[in-house]
């Protein structure tokens, strides 16, 4: 049993320098969250701040180069001890910066950080003319050959139960109440490659929510039965699903109630 207790999750949108400003403006408008003052040695970081005093769970980072991507911060009491646990389960340490957090990659190559910053109060869904929506799920996209190992790693590290989902290609991690985002694990058709991730937004009215995103500059890539795939101004793909934003029992799936 893992000794790591994850007290909060923060999702980072890692954005190319040429599209950083329009992408930050897009995600701020899309969520209704304000942008914090920049921080970091080169002002490369900022958080998206929910209204009403809720703690932030979305942040942005300006990359030096390369395409956009996503990484995940796990908030724990002792990042160094948690990193030892993660390495024992198959992770690899990439960096140990001087301010105490640890950068790692999972067995399948997904980059994540272990940080100590405490958080605690999750945001409520935002209300729009077409209904409510919120970013509430990270979907790890896992090539087929490494799916069993990757799903076992995340379940062992977090000590969250790994359960089947409605679709054969999905599994889910059932975390404790109060965390701001959920984790879904999707088996891709491609056999090999690095694990990557995308965001899912839950929406009361998927069609109205997608139209709102298009008006803000989002681009529809595909329309599926239960979700729509879009791209932000940086070309980073994400999904809008038909899950009810506030339903705690509709856990980690893309399918609507």
């Amino acid at each position: 049993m893992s000794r790591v207790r994850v007290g909060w999750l923060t999702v980072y949108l890692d954005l190319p320098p040429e599209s950083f400003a329009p992408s930050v403006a897009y995600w701020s408008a899309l969520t209704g969250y304000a942008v914090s003052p920049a921080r970091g040695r080169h002002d490369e970081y900022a958080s998206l701040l929910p209204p009403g005093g809720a703690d932030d769970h979305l942040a942005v980072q300006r990359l030096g180069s390369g395409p956009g991507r996503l990484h995940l911060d796990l908030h724990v009491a002792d990042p160094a001890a948690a990193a030892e646990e993660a390495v024992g389960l198959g992770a690899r340490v990439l960096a140990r910066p001087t301010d105490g957090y640890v950068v790692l990659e999972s067995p399948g190559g997904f980059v994540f950080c272990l940080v100590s910053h405490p958080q605690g109060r999750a945001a409520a869904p935002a209300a729009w003319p077409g209904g409510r929506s919120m970013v509430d799920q990270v979907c790890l996209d896992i090539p087929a050959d490494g799916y069993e190992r990757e799903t076992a790693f995340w379940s062992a590290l977090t000590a969250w139960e790994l359960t089947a989902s409605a679709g054969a290609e999905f599994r889910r991690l059932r975390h404790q109440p109060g965390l701001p985002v959920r984790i879904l694990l999707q088996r891709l058709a491609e056999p090999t490659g690095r694990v990557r991730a995308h965001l899912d937004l839950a929406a009361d009215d998927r069609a109205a929510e997608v139209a709102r995103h298009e008006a803000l500059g989002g681009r529809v890539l595909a329309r599926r039965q239960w979700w729509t795939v879009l791209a932000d101004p940086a070309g980073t793909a994400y999904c809008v699903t038909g899950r009810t934003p506030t339903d705690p029992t509709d856990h980690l799936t893309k399918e609507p109630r």
Side-chain angles (χ1 to χ4, degrees):
M1 174 66 71
S2 174
R3 294 167 295 173
V4 176
R5 185 186 183 279
V6 179
W8 194 256
L9 294 167
T10 300
V11 184
Y12 269 84
L13 293 164
D14 301 328
L15 301 165
E18 64 273 11
S19 58
F20 181 77
S23 291
V24 171
Y26 177 79
W27 283 96
S28 176
L30 186 153
T31 57
Y33 295 175
V35 181
S36 76
R39 60 183 184 275
R41 184 176 300 176
H42 305 289
D43 289 339
E44 70 270 35
Y45 298 108
S47 296
L48 299 181
L49 305 175
D55 290 308
D56 57 277
H57 64 280
L58 294 173
V60 293
Q61 177 180 205
R62 186 181 65 250
L63 299 174
S65 61
R69 59 183 186 239
L70 181 154
H71 82 263
L72 189 61
D73 279 8
L74 280 64
H75 296 238
V76 298
D78 187 338
E84 289 185 14
E85 184 100 14
V87 169
L89 293 169
R92 184 168 70 93
V93 172
L94 300 180
R96 294 181 184 268
T98 56
D99 47 359
Y101 68 95
V102 185
V103 185
L104 304 98
E105 66 176 12
S106 71
F110 179 69
V111 175
F112 66 100
C113 297
L114 295 166
V115 304
S116 60
H117 316 298
Q119 299 288 337
R121 182 182 170 193
W128 313 103
R132 300 164 304 164
S133 68
M134 67 183 302
V135 175
D136 74 340
Q137 185 162 273
V138 175
C139 182
L140 299 185
D141 301 314
I142 307 170
D145 287 356
Y147 188 72
E148 296 299 329
R149 185 183 185 193
E150 190 74 8
T151 56
F153 168 79
W154 287 102
S155 180
L157 179 63
T158 59
W160 295 341
E161 180 187 5
L162 185 65
T163 63
S165 190
E169 71 272 34
F170 296 108
R171 291 178 184 169
R172 52 197 173 94
L173 292 173
R174 190 175 299 277
H175 61 60
Q176 70 270 21
L179 294 186
V181 290
R182 313 165 180 187
I183 299 179
L184 180 69
L185 305 138
Q186 181 175 10
R187 185 179 63 248
L188 302 177
E190 61 193 65
T192 61
R194 293 178 66 89
V195 176
R196 47 200 185 270
H198 68 267
L199 286 178
D200 287 344
L201 288 85
D204 286 327
D205 185 328
R206 179 160 58 106
E209 181 71 4
V210 168
R212 186 176 72 87
H213 291 209
E214 289 183 290
L216 291 170
R219 178 167 52 94
V220 172
L221 301 179
R223 299 182 191 271
R224 309 298 187 201
Q225 183 176 5
W226 305 123
W227 64 86
T228 302
V229 185
L230 298 98
D232 71 4
T236 303
Y238 67 95
C239 294
V240 175
T241 78
R243 291 190 320 277
T244 301
T246 56
D247 183 356
T249 66
D250 193 12
H251 196 66
L252 305 174
T253 68
K254 289 182 183 285
E255 296 83 358
R257 286 289 180 198

